Amino acid sequence: TTVMMVPISIMKTRGFIREIDDWVRNGGHLVVLGERAESWHNDWQKHYKPDPKLVPDNFRDWLKEHGFTIDFKEKGTFDTNKITVDDNVFEVFADSSYAISQHGGDAHLFESTTYGSGRISVLADARPLRNRYIDEHENGAFLLSLMDWTGRDGRVLIIRDSDLSFWGLLWKAGWTVLIGLAVFTIYWLWKNMPGFGPRLALDERSTLRAYDHHLEALGDFHWRLDKAAGLLRPLRDSILERAQQQAANAGHHHEDIFAWLGERAGIPKERVQRAMTQESPGDSTVFTRLMADLQTLHFSLP
């Protein structure tokens, strides 16, 4: 491998930096890409929030050993810049929050220096080398010049990995969905997990009914069936049978039975006749009056 292009965010461990150091010193060309270099970065995103901690501390110290200084600024430092590679000037589009200087000189978008038999190059903004912008300005020619700078033939290694984990990517791209899922999970656990301590017995309503409720239901059934004629008939038959037997025993079996009953009960003959013969009471008031007269007749007979 003659050229290795890496995002600056993965240059963290001292062991990895030491291996890169040996590789560069033996003739490799290390191209370090600053902002927007990670594989997960969205080139079509309009709003970009710069990361003030983009440069790992270990790698910052290593760059200082080779004369590089990287400063962070709140606002973009460069916009449509000229980059010099091996005495060739290229105009590229970039807008970085980092300024790169070498040995205390002026800040630029791009700086490069030799190290041993190799070369170290640092580009503050990776957009000139990404697919989204490679055909704009002179970005393509700049990339080819980087590849040929050392004058050696070999492979070009582009490391697109980053330190963003799978869960970090989910949180970055879909934190609202994750929060909703977490709230739903907590609610589901709260709803379904068994509680602590003994459970209180449920106060179930009894299906048993009192005696008066049964009588009320039975009377309602008979009223809807035939206006309670089925309840009047047995009582009338009982009164008539006893009245005829007692009238015969008293020698009055030839008399009008309704008049005889009225005399014993103390009610007019017309009411006795109506109580004993009316089939279908018109309403509950009539039914109540008939039942009252039948009870009077019933209790008048011993």
Side-chain angles (χ1 to χ4, degrees), residues 48-181:
Y48 174 76
K49 184 178 180 181
D51 182 8
K53 298 182 179 180
L54 179 65
V55 185
D57 293 336
N58 292 333
F59 189 60
R60 184 187 296 273
D61 296 338
W62 184 80
L63 288 176
K64 285 184 178 180
E65 294 177 3
H66 298 282
F68 291 95
T69 302
I70 301 180
D71 297 322
F72 175 77
K73 298 183 178 181
E74 289 293 337
K75 296 183 178 180
T77 307
F78 305 99
D79 187 6
T80 308
N81 288 271
K82 297 184 183 297
I83 292 179
T84 302
V85 176
D86 196 17
D87 296 330
N88 297 315
V89 180
F90 303 96
E91 185 177 292
V92 300
F93 173 78
D95 183 12
S96 177
S97 300
Y98 286 88
I100 304 171
S101 60
Q102 192 173 11
H103 301 294
D106 296 335
H108 298 92
L109 173 70
F110 175 79
E111 288 289 352
S112 182
T113 187
T114 57
Y115 175 51
S117 301
R119 176 171 290 276
I120 303 172
S121 300
V122 183
L123 180 63
D125 190 351
R127 284 187 298 177
L129 303 183
R130 293 182 67 96
N131 289 344
R132 166 72 174 83
Y133 306 97
I134 197 65
D135 62 338
E136 298 181 6
H137 299 277
E138 297 179 319
N139 296 341
F142 166 60
L143 175 60
L144 292 177
S145 182
L146 278 177
M147 301 301 101
D148 298 335
W149 201 348
T150 59
R152 299 183 180 183
D153 296 333
R155 295 183 304 169
V156 176
L157 179 61
I158 301 176
I159 301 178
R160 303 179 65 246
D161 196 8
S162 68
D163 60 343
L164 187 65
S165 65
F166 173 73
W167 291 107
L169 178 61
L170 285 181
W171 179 255
K172 183 178 181 64
W175 61 272
T176 53
V177 177
L178 292 180
I179 291 178
L181 181 61

Side-chain angles (χ1 to χ4, degrees), residues 23-39:
W23 174 78
V24 174
R25 189 172 56 250
N26 293 324
H29 183 188
L30 176 65
V31 180
V32 181
L33 306 177
E35 293 184 294
R36 305 177 179 89
E38 293 82 1
S39 59

Side-chain angles (χ1 to χ4, degrees), residues 232 235-236 239 242 265 267 275-276 287-301:
L232 297 174
L235 182 57
R236 286 170 174 173
I239 293 174
R242 287 185 295 151
I267 58 177
M276 295 294 293
F287 176 78
T288 302
R289 187 165 55 247
L290 291 178
M291 286 298 301
D293 290 342
L294 287 174
Q295 284 184 341
T296 302
L297 295 175
H298 170 72
F299 290 116
S300 67
L301 298 173

